[in-house]
Amino acid sequence: MDFSICDPYDSSMRQRRGTTEARGMLPPEPGQDPGATKPKGRLGRRYDPAWNDWNAPRRWPGILLSCVIVLGFLGIVIWHFRPHSTVHHPKVVFNPLVKVLPLYLPPVRATRAATFTGTHDANGLHFESDGGLLILHAQCSCEYNFVVTISNKGLESIPVNDTGHVNTVLNATVPMGPVVLSVVGQGHWYLQLLQPVATTPLIRTPSSPSCPRGCFTYFSSGSDVVGPFTAADKYVTFKFLSLSNGSVAVHVLNEQGFGLQTPFIGRIALSAPNKVLASLPNPYFLEIDATGFWSLDVGRHPIRP
């Protein structure tokens, strides 16, 4: 008689605890379909939370954050103690008792002159030029743009292109012959053309309390053309003060209106006492391109500051 089929230790009859086969032999739970597929169980031991103590913690996020903080602190320290370049602006002091003068203009009777006025656009304004330097005094209380165009023998220039209230003195170089001007401007405008000639008197440099040895002094604002001066008046002092972050440039012009040198150029504030101008033409003019207040002294001898 074979008792092997009744062997309680037969491997085919033994079921391991926790295996799928063992759970598959359990009766179905109430409300569960007997024919439904049984969920697969988990093999091995149950999860123990103490196992996490064996996992190495991730430390790199904290290290990275610490490096960023240290580098940021070092950057702030380096930026604070970096070398600073200090910009020293010259001190400009004007005599409060000196009156601000209107823009300088040579005498009309000693020049070739013409005057035009209007309140709207105009074309075909004629002027007969002897050639060379032409000084243009332009004023306008315009609502919008104010544009002045000069045409001569096919050449065209636009010395004035501004808006609103305009009061300026500019220079242009024109050849000999008829000159035609056109104006774009809505509002009262005024144009004065002045061309120095051989008989235009030179500016005198008389003595005064500020210039005991003689000099020409002028205090004004904006762009201007001052002259003619004799080449012997080679000592110049110049001060400039801008109230709106403006700049200034002073050019030496000859009789033809060509720029020969720029002795002064600056921004916001400029003070240049007793500068000697060399290689001057006789006569010469000073073109002042400025957006602010300026003071000019010209003489044959060094000028007292």
Side-chain angles (χ1 to χ4, degrees):
M1 186 174 181
D2 189 359
F3 294 97
S4 61
I5 59 175
C6 297
D7 188 356
Y9 299 101
D10 188 357
S11 60
S12 62
M13 298 294 293
R14 292 195 304 269
Q15 302 296 330
R16 296 179 180 177
R17 183 180 178 181
T19 61
T20 304
E21 292 80 358
R23 286 194 296 269
M25 297 179 61
L26 297 177
E29 298 179 0
Q32 182 179 3
D33 186 3
T37 304
K38 302 298 186 298
K40 294 182 179 182
R42 182 180 57 193
L43 298 177
R45 293 179 296 174
R46 298 181 63 182
Y47 171 74
D48 189 351
W51 293 346
N52 290 338
D53 296 339
W54 294 92
N55 296 330
R58 297 180 179 180
R59 301 181 181 275
W60 64 267
I63 296 175
L64 179 61
L65 181 59
S66 300
C67 292
V68 171
I69 295 175
V70 172
L71 291 177
F73 176 76
L74 291 177
I76 294 175
V77 173
I78 294 173
W79 180 86
H80 180 73
F81 289 101
R82 78 189 191 282
H84 295 274
S85 58
T86 304
V87 179
H88 298 282
H89 296 289
K91 184 178 181 181
V92 179
V93 179
F94 293 118
N95 189 343
L97 301 179
V98 177
K99 180 181 179 181
V100 179
L101 301 175
L103 294 173
Y104 178 85
L105 290 169
V108 176
R109 294 182 180 180
T111 59
R112 294 185 61 86
T115 301
F116 306 97
T117 60
T119 57
H120 55 275
D121 298 354
N123 296 300
L125 306 178
H126 291 272
F127 174 77
E128 193 68 24
S129 170
D130 282 346
L133 175 64
L134 178 65
I135 299 174
L136 171 62
H137 182 203
Q139 289 180 299
C140 185
S141 298
C142 294
E143 298 179 3
Y144 304 105
N145 295 338
F146 180 48
V147 182
V148 179
T149 304
I150 299 178
S151 303
N152 182 282
K153 295 182 179 181
L155 302 177
E156 187 175 278
S157 63
I158 305 177
V160 181
N161 187 1
D162 212 330
T163 59
H165 181 75
V166 179
N167 182 22
T168 185
V169 176
L170 305 169
N171 67 283
T173 299
V174 295
M176 181 180 295
V179 175
V180 181
L181 289 84
S182 62
V183 178
V184 176
Q186 300 298 321
H188 181 72
W189 53 264
Y190 169 87
L191 296 180
Q192 185 180 30
L193 302 179
L194 302 170
Q195 190 166 55
V197 294
T199 56
T200 301
L202 300 175
I203 293 180
R204 298 177 57 198
T205 55
S207 60
S208 65
S210 60
C211 295
R213 303 182 67 180
C215 69
F216 167 81
T217 301
Y218 211 80
F219 179 38
S220 188
S221 64
S223 297
D224 204 346
V225 179
V226 184
F229 295 100
T230 177
D233 296 323
K234 61 181 180 179
Y235 289 92
V236 180
T237 66
F238 187 79
K239 296 180 181 180
F240 169 74
L241 178 62
S242 172
L243 301 180
S244 59
N245 197 29
S247 60
V248 65
V250 180
H251 309 282
V252 175
L253 309 177
N254 58 15
E255 288 182 294
Q256 287 71 42
F258 296 112
L260 304 179
Q261 55 181 297
T262 303
F264 305 104
I265 186 169
R267 188 174 182 84
I268 301 177
L270 175 67
S271 180
N274 285 320
K275 188 164 188 177
V276 181
L277 304 183
S279 303
L280 290 173
N282 191 26
Y284 73 93
F285 297 80
L286 292 177
E287 176 196 2
I288 302 172
D289 183 9
T291 54
F293 294 95
W294 50 267
S295 175
L296 174 68
D297 298 288
V298 181
R300 300 189 180 190
H301 306 280
I303 302 166
R304 187 176 65 187

